[in-house]
Amino acid sequence: MSAELRIENLHVAIDGKEILKGVDLTIRKGEVHALMGPNGSGKSTLSYALMGHPNYEVTAGVATINGTDLLSMEADERAKAGLFLAFQYPTSIPGVTVANFLRHAVTNVRRPDRKEGEDLMPMRDFRKELREQMEALGVDGEFARRYLNEGFSGGEKKRAEVLQMAMLRPSFAILDETDSGLDIDAVRIVSEGVNRVAESQGTGVLVITHYKRILDYIKPSFVHILFGGRIVESGGPELVDRLEREGYDWIREKYPEAARDEDELEAKEAASLAV
Amino acid sequence: MTPATAASRPRQSLPASFGDDAFEAFLRRRDEPEWLIERRRAAFASFQALPWPSARDEEWRRTDIRGFKAADFAPPEAVAVSERDHAAIAPLVAALAGSYATGTATINASTTQRADARTLGGAILVDLPTAVREYPEIVRRYLLTDCVNPAADALSALHAAFWTNGTLLYVPKGVKLAAPLYSLVALAGAGRVDFDHTLIVLEDGAEAALVRETASRRTEARSALHVGAVEVFVGAGSNLRFVNIQNWDDDVWHFSRERALVDAGGSIQWTVGGLGARLAKVNQEVMLRGERSDAQVNGVMFTTGRQHLAYFTRQDHAAPHTHSDLLYKGGLLDGSRIVWKGMIRVEKDAQRTDAYQKNDSLLLSEESRADSIPGLEIEANDVRCTHGATAGRVDEDMIFYAQARGVPRETAIRLIVEGFFANVYDRITLEPVRETLRQAVAAKLGHGK
């Protein structure tokens, strides 16, 4: 079995409109990749489609995790198969505590064959592990009793995402704009958490971001540029610096067809935001 | 409603089984004191005079009881309870006895369990026929006098004429009962009619908690009937926690009038569970008649199948500086329906009233329906009264988020439903009640179609 997250020629549509037009990307165990691109390039679409959001329709292509087909699975089966998505905008679930939610999540992910109604992970073991992970992330003990993401600050939400990643020990993690809305201290704390988990578990990481700053902490070996619904450039960390200096104009000139698609996608995104 | 309109109503619904002969036979069986017989006769006269509920009445507009034929039922008779009936109800008794200090039970209107007086610290917890014999002055003073109006409508008059068994909880002045008590009202086997009357009286400076449950198991008839009343008197500076869980099987017609009067500085935390019944029509009212009195009202409802629950709540503020806070939450599956109509009424003298009412509904199927109708009537000019209502479906984004963390869809929905009720559970200060409601909701969620 190959320990990798493999995406081939992935096409994804929302409401019949194609957003991803053939994405190829392979991440091996323990590798850190960065995916950069302007607004509307399809970065979040890729993360939602891989996680199995029902509104994202895969029209062509293949995605596998450790050799197993991802695309035929429900979202919870994908999580059990070892995929984790740190949401850009984590959903709050009123009345469900962080601890109760995570106990259900951890039990299901670690025992994928568990049937509904069977015992959850023993409370003692769970509490001990949760406490350790919260301490490592510098999260107050009271956090576990709060309702999930309900009234959390931006930083607390992102820390809660990393806490969940730490508890679920995924083989591959996608971090969707995990740095957005955070001050630099919060970016550092969250990044250190990701690194710690990734190093201890050998997790392959895909960091989706607009900005260089998170990549100062989570250092990618591979950098990809998503533009107009496809990956147009792949390289090393030097690509990050070039984007920082020059922006996306050189990409636009080099890939005129993708640029037309990108303009269309950006217009669509602007229109949907205006509604 | 003018008398002329009422008189022009069709009367064919008035059942012969609750007619003159049945009433006289009922009285003969009971051997009760004259004052009580007079009250029953007055109520029976009201029953005969009052119109049967009709879809033209505001309270029955959304609640169709044409399928309910009173003639199919007869006044409840206390009959011998079979071993099988005892066995059917035993788990319910055991659950209550395991959680609370002591309590009473009736099965098919017969008293099957009496409270252990030694744990009552001077308070009285007895069935109502015993109370009539042993504490007539208490019952005479409080039974269907100032609190529930026996002539409010035909069904309350029917109850007042024919109530059969019930419970008296009487807590004398200054007596504080730390441990919560219970009373179970059950139907089983051949039992199919229950007219329970619960009377709770806390004298000044008293404290108590009572958990009352109405439930049926394995009744043989196609349908059963409960016409009940709950009367609560909270004395000055007293504190009552009262829980009333309606957990009948879904073949029971449930009609109930429930009212609490709260004196100066007194407080009531009143929790209602609405889980069972084929159709339930409940009037739940709190009257804050003493200065700085306080009522917290909590409702947890969950319906499945073709169940229909209708609640008419009132928060009456008749004295200054009074506070009330009502939160009703309902989850609905299948083709079930919940109606809530609330009223906050503030009288002219009740300045500095602070009143709140909120009703949230979670629709778990396309066919379910929730009606929320809040209302305010305010005659004072220095008050704070607010209300709100929400109705919605389980958020697909929440389900996806939970699934993305490995939680299967069904479990995710269960967690979200539990979470929906959490803010009302958080208000309930009796842990076993929270657990009872949580388990009942989870069980019903699993039994939806």
Side-chain angles (χ1 to χ4, degrees):
Chain A
M1 188 176 78
S2 47
E4 61 184 24
L5 177 66
R6 174 181 285 273
I7 303 157
E8 286 172 22
N9 189 33
L10 193 70
H11 290 249
V12 176
I14 306 171
D15 296 333
K17 170 78 190 158
E18 189 167 68
I19 308 289
L20 296 186
K21 300 164 193 291
V23 171
D24 294 277
L25 182 62
T26 297
I27 302 172
R28 284 172 207 82
K29 190 175 186 319
E31 290 178 352
V32 176
H33 291 238
L35 183 70
M36 304 188 75
N39 275 331
S41 58
K43 302 189 301 294
S44 285
T45 298
L46 178 65
S47 59
Y48 275 118
L50 288 175
M51 202 67 237
H53 193 291
N55 292 357
Y56 293 74
E57 187 198 353
V58 175
T59 51
V62 176
T64 58
I65 185 163
N66 302 331
T68 309
D69 175 30
L70 261 186
L71 301 179
S72 61
M73 295 182 195
E74 290 285 311
D76 57 304
E77 295 168 322
R78 299 183 194 204
K80 289 171 192 170
L83 185 64
F84 181 88
L85 168 63
F87 283 64
Q88 183 179 3
Y89 303 109
T91 310
S92 66
I93 305 187
V96 179
T97 62
V98 169
N100 187 32
F101 180 79
L102 257 177
R103 190 164 167 231
H104 279 85
V106 167
T107 305
N108 279 289
V109 165
R110 294 192 194 165
R111 284 172 44 206
D113 300 328
R114 172 181 177 273
K115 306 246 180 332
E116 169 70 9
E118 289 179 14
D119 285 349
L120 295 171
M121 179 177 173
M123 186 60 95
R124 264 180 81 93
D125 302 348
F126 173 75
R127 281 207 180 127
K128 181 167 178 288
E129 194 177 326
L130 182 62
R131 198 163 46 238
E132 286 166 4
Q133 293 297 349
M134 290 200 309
E135 272 169 24
L137 267 171
V139 173
D140 190 80
E142 177 255 0
F143 200 71
R145 290 189 294 274
R146 288 175 69 185
Y147 294 147
L148 185 62
N149 294 323
E150 181 86 336
F152 283 21
S153 69
E156 286 173 332
K157 281 185 185 176
K158 298 302 167 77
R159 260 190 244 197
E161 294 292 281
V162 177
L163 175 65
Q164 294 180 59
M165 177 181 162
M167 293 294 289
L168 293 174
R169 307 173 191 156
S171 34
F172 293 94
I174 302 168
L175 311 179
D176 190 359
E177 309 267 5
T178 293
D179 52 338
S180 70
L182 298 188
D183 62 36
I184 193 68
D185 283 338
V187 170
R188 180 180 52 77
I189 292 164
V190 165
S191 302
E192 284 168 2
V194 170
N195 288 338
R196 189 174 46 79
V197 177
E199 280 159 23
S200 66
Q201 304 295 325
T203 308
V205 178
L206 178 64
V207 185
I208 296 178
T209 182
H210 271 81
Y211 305 105
K212 180 176 182 292
R213 57 179 197 170
I214 192 173
L215 302 177
D216 292 337
Y217 298 99
I218 306 175
K219 293 196 181 338
S221 311
F222 307 89
V223 177
H224 313 275
I225 296 172
L226 188 67
F227 193 70
R230 41 203 168 291
I231 288 175
V232 290
E233 288 276 337
S234 289
E238 74 286 350
L239 259 182
V240 180
D241 297 320
R242 184 162 182 202
L243 285 180
E244 185 84 351
R245 278 195 320 272
E246 301 176 29
Y248 290 95
D249 285 349
W250 62 278
I251 297 280
R252 189 168 282 282
E253 280 162 29
K254 192 168 167 187
Y255 305 99
E257 194 193 332
R260 275 195 303 279
D261 289 339
E262 178 68 29
D263 290 343
E264 204 180 304
L265 290 173
E266 283 181 32
K268 186 172 177 282
E269 175 154 319
S272 72
L273 287 175
V275 170
Chain B
M1 184 67 57
T2 64
T5 320
S8 68
R9 289 271 179 81
R11 302 300 305 271
Q12 79 277 10
S13 299
L14 274 189
S17 57
F18 291 98
D20 292 293
D21 294 346
F23 181 61
E24 293 303 328
F26 177 81
L27 291 181
R28 278 196 298 276
R29 284 200 302 271
R30 292 189 67 85
D31 187 27
E32 288 176 334
E34 200 50 42
W35 64 266
L36 180 52
I37 294 172
E38 275 168 31
R39 278 186 204 178
R40 289 193 187 274
R41 286 196 188 283
F44 187 67
S46 298
F47 171 62
Q48 292 191 308
L50 286 162
W52 195 250
S54 130
R56 282 173 292 180
D57 303 331
E58 171 58 26
E59 290 199 0
W60 298 94
R61 221 153 55 77
R62 299 166 190 84
T63 301
D64 183 357
I65 57 163
R66 280 174 301 176
F68 167 57
K69 302 281 183 251
D72 292 350
F73 300 94
E77 269 185 68
V79 291
V81 180
S82 73
E83 281 304 310
R84 200 161 163 270
D85 299 344
H86 272 291
I89 299 303
L92 295 171
V93 178
L96 290 164
S99 298
Y100 308 110
T102 186
T104 61
T106 68
I107 302 176
N108 303 343
S110 288
T111 301
T112 55
Q113 182 172 309
R114 296 181 190 280
D116 179 356
R118 287 168 304 178
T119 60
L120 289 169
I124 299 166
L125 180 64
V126 291
D127 66 49
L128 208 50
T130 302
V132 169
R133 283 194 305 277
E134 296 182 11
Y135 309 100
E137 65 294 345
I138 297 174
V139 181
R140 189 171 183 175
R141 179 169 164 203
Y142 293 104
L143 179 81
L144 294 164
T145 52
D146 303 338
C147 195
V148 164
N149 173 10
D153 64 9
L155 286 159
S156 49
L158 181 67
H159 168 83
F162 287 101
W163 69 264
T164 311
N165 209 330
T167 305
L168 168 70
L169 170 62
Y170 179 84
V171 187
K173 191 170 175 181
V175 170
K176 298 189 174 185
L177 295 178
L181 311 171
Y182 70 88
S183 88
L184 174 68
V185 178
L187 286 172
R192 56 187 305 245
V193 183
D194 178 85
F195 279 35
D196 180 86
H197 192 102
T198 292
L199 179 59
I200 302 169
V201 180
L202 269 61
E203 296 286 8
D204 296 350
E207 211 170 287
L210 177 69
V211 177
R212 174 183 186 257
E213 187 170 341
T214 53
S216 53
R217 292 291 182 274
R218 287 205 242 140
T219 50
E220 288 150 12
R222 275 176 301 113
S223 64
L225 172 66
H226 169 84
V227 185
V230 173
E231 299 189 277
V232 179
F233 293 83
V234 179
S238 287
N239 179 343
L240 174 69
R241 289 180 291 170
F242 177 50
V243 179
N244 196 14
I245 298 175
Q246 184 275 100
N247 199 9
W248 300 116
D249 287 335
D250 62 6
D251 58 356
V252 177
W253 301 91
H254 175 89
F255 304 103
S256 187
R257 288 253 162 199
E258 306 172 0
R259 189 157 183 245
L261 305 180
V262 190
D263 291 337
S267 68
I268 182 171
Q269 179 192 71
W270 187 348
T271 299
V272 172
L275 302 162
R278 166 184 184 165
L279 178 145
K281 153 83 161 48
V282 176
N283 294 74
Q284 189 205 12
E285 308 180 356
V286 289
M287 158 65 85
L288 300 167
R289 61 181 186 177
E291 272 194 47
R292 296 182 196 279
S293 54
D294 181 286
Q296 184 198 66
V297 181
N298 306 312
V300 174
M301 285 86 202
F302 199 95
T303 51
T304 55
R306 305 288 304 165
Q307 283 186 284
H308 179 118
L309 305 186
Y311 290 89
F312 294 81
T313 63
R314 284 186 72 97
Q315 296 151 263
D316 283 305
H317 291 254
H321 296 280
T322 45
H323 174 249
S324 70
D325 177 356
L326 177 145
L327 176 62
Y328 261 43
K329 304 202 80 153
L332 301 91
L333 264 172
D334 309 327
S336 63
R337 185 173 174 188
I338 297 177
V339 177
W340 170 75
K341 189 164 196 275
M343 175 60 71
I344 293 173
R345 189 182 147 73
V346 183
E347 289 179 18
K348 207 166 158 192
D349 296 336
Q351 298 293 4
R352 313 306 297 265
T353 281
D354 183 349
Y356 182 68
Q357 58 178 347
K358 188 159 197 282
N359 176 227
D360 296 323
S361 304
L362 185 61
L363 301 163
L364 294 156
S365 70
E366 290 293 324
E367 304 78 32
S368 59
R369 176 174 164 182
D371 300 43
S372 288
I373 311 142
L376 301 174
E377 274 177 21
I378 299 170
E379 290 185 9
N381 54 22
D382 182 14
V383 301
R384 202 174 75 117
C385 294
T386 44
H387 58 74
T390 67
R393 300 185 186 283
V394 174
D395 186 342
E396 283 295 331
D397 285 340
M398 289 186 201
I399 297 174
F400 175 67
Y401 184 80
Q403 280 193 282
R405 299 291 142 85
V407 179
R409 185 179 175 87
E410 291 304 307
T411 310
I413 291 172
R414 183 171 62 73
L415 286 174
I416 292 163
V417 171
E418 274 179 19
F420 168 77
F421 285 107
N423 65 343
V424 65
Y425 292 151
D426 286 349
R427 291 157 55 119
I428 301 170
T429 52
L430 294 165
E431 162 62 23
V433 172
R434 292 201 296 268
E435 200 47 42
T436 300
L437 292 169
R438 211 176 268 134
Q439 287 175 10
V441 167
K444 293 207 76 172
L445 190 60
H447 288 148
K449 277 196 293 258

